[in-house]
Amino acid sequence: MTRLIAPSVLAADFANIQRDIEMLNNSDADWIHIDVMDGVFVPNISFGMPVIKAIQRHAKKMMDVHLMIVNPDQYIKEFKSIGADILTVHYEACTHLHRTLQAIKLEGMQAGVALNPHTPINALEDVIMDIDLVCLMSVNPGFGGQSFIENTYKKVIQLKHLIEQSGSKAKIEIDGGVTDQNAHKLVSAGADVLVAGSFVFKADNPTETIKNLRLLANS
Ligand code: DX5
Ligand code: ZN
C-alpha cells in the first residue's frame, strides 16, 4: 500500500495561505493536515473555523483535521460543514470516545483517534474496529518544530500488531518531528501516513521536500 504524506499547515505562512495551499495542491502531498488547538487541551491556540474555511476554498486534497481540543463533540457537524474529510480527536480528551467516533462517522467523515506520547496502545483495544485512522503523537501536542520522540517506533510496532490481530482497517499516522531522517524507519515499523510541518514549510523548496519524503516513505 502506498504510504501517504500529510503536510501540516501549522507551519505554513498564514498571510499567504492561498499560495501555500496551491503549492500543496500542485505537490505530491496526499492530504492536508490541519491542527486545531484550543489553549485548554494543549497550551497553545492555533486557529479555528474561519481559517479552515479559507483553506477549504483552495484545497484540492483531503482535509485531515486533527483536533487538540476539549469537548470535540460540540463541533463535529461544524467541522463537516467546513470540509473536514477525516476528523481526529484525542483519546485523552474524550470521556465517551466510542460515542464520539460514531458521531463523526454519522456525519460521513473518517474517524481518527490521536494518542499522546504517554498513552499506551492497549487503550485502543476496545475501539480499534471503529477507527479509520490512529494518529500517534511523536511529540507532545501543542507546537510544531519539536524533536521526534524515539519511543514512537515501539508504539508503531505494537499498534500494527493490534490492527492485524483485530482485522481493523485503521491506518497509522505519525505526527511530530518527522523528517527524512526517520521517515523510512517509521514506515518500516508499520506507519501508513507521515505528517510533516516544519520539515516541509521551512525547507528552501517545499515541493521538492514533499516529493523526496514521499519517495523515501515508499522505498
Ligand atoms: C503538533 C501538531 C503537529 C505539528 C507537526 O501538536 O499536531 O501536526 O504541526 O509539526 P512538526 O512536523 O514541525 O513537528
Ligand atoms: Zn497534528
Side-chain angles (χ1 to χ4, degrees):
M1 200 189 65
T2 310
R3 281 73 170 250
L4 310 177
I5 304 299
S8 165
V9 293
L10 188 63
D13 176 355
F14 286 95
N16 288 289
I17 199 68
Q18 178 174 357
R19 180 200 69 189
D20 283 3
I21 298 302
E22 280 168 0
M23 181 279 289
L24 295 179
N25 288 341
N26 296 320
S27 78
D28 286 343
D30 297 279
W31 298 350
I32 301 177
H33 186 85
I34 298 174
D35 288 305
V36 181
M37 304 178 182
D38 66 354
V40 180
F41 180 69
V42 287
N44 193 15
I45 298 175
S46 57
F47 50 78
M49 310 307 179
V51 171
I52 300 175
K53 275 188 204 158
I55 293 171
Q56 195 219 1
R57 275 202 294 279
H58 306 292
K60 294 195 177 123
K61 308 223 167 173
M62 295 252 293
M63 290 181 31
D64 170 32
V65 178
H66 175 196
L67 300 183
M68 285 158 273
I69 66 173
V70 296
N71 197 12
D73 302 66
Q74 200 180 327
Y75 305 102
I76 290 171
K77 279 183 194 297
E78 200 171 347
F79 280 111
K80 169 67 185 180
S81 76
I82 60 174
D85 296 292
I86 305 165
L87 195 64
T88 296
V89 295
H90 263 265
Y91 172 84
E92 302 83 6
C94 296
T95 310
H96 303 286
L97 179 60
H98 182 268
R99 177 185 289 151
T100 306
L101 295 172
Q102 303 311 316
I104 293 170
K105 289 196 279 195
L106 200 64
E107 291 299 324
M109 296 178 284
Q110 293 185 45
V113 176
L115 294 187
N116 278 340
H118 74 274
T119 304
I121 296 299
N122 64 19
L124 295 180
E125 250 172 47
D126 292 293
V127 279
I128 194 68
M129 298 304 288
D130 302 286
I131 299 176
D132 299 302
L133 179 77
V134 178
C135 175
L136 288 183
M137 292 308 302
S138 39
V139 297
N140 284 294
F143 303 93
Q146 305 182 81
S147 38
F148 180 83
I149 297 172
E150 297 284 323
N151 189 55
T152 310
Y153 296 117
K154 183 193 87 185
K155 292 180 80 174
V156 179
I157 293 166
Q158 290 174 344
L159 176 57
K160 186 80 184 167
H161 184 72
L162 174 63
I163 289 171
E164 282 174 356
Q165 289 285 301
S166 63
S168 161
K169 298 266 191 295
K171 285 187 167 66
I172 302 176
E173 177 177 69
I174 310 298
D175 189 5
V178 172
T179 68
D180 57 357
Q181 300 300 299
N182 50 28
H184 185 73
K185 194 168 168 189
L186 283 166
V187 298
S188 303
D192 305 296
V193 186
L194 302 179
V195 174
S198 317
F199 185 66
V200 165
F201 284 98
K202 307 292 177 224
D204 291 338
N205 188 337
T207 307
E208 202 57 25
T209 303
I210 294 166
K211 184 179 176 188
N212 291 337
L213 200 57
R214 199 169 189 278
L215 285 172
L216 203 55
N218 286 288
S219 63

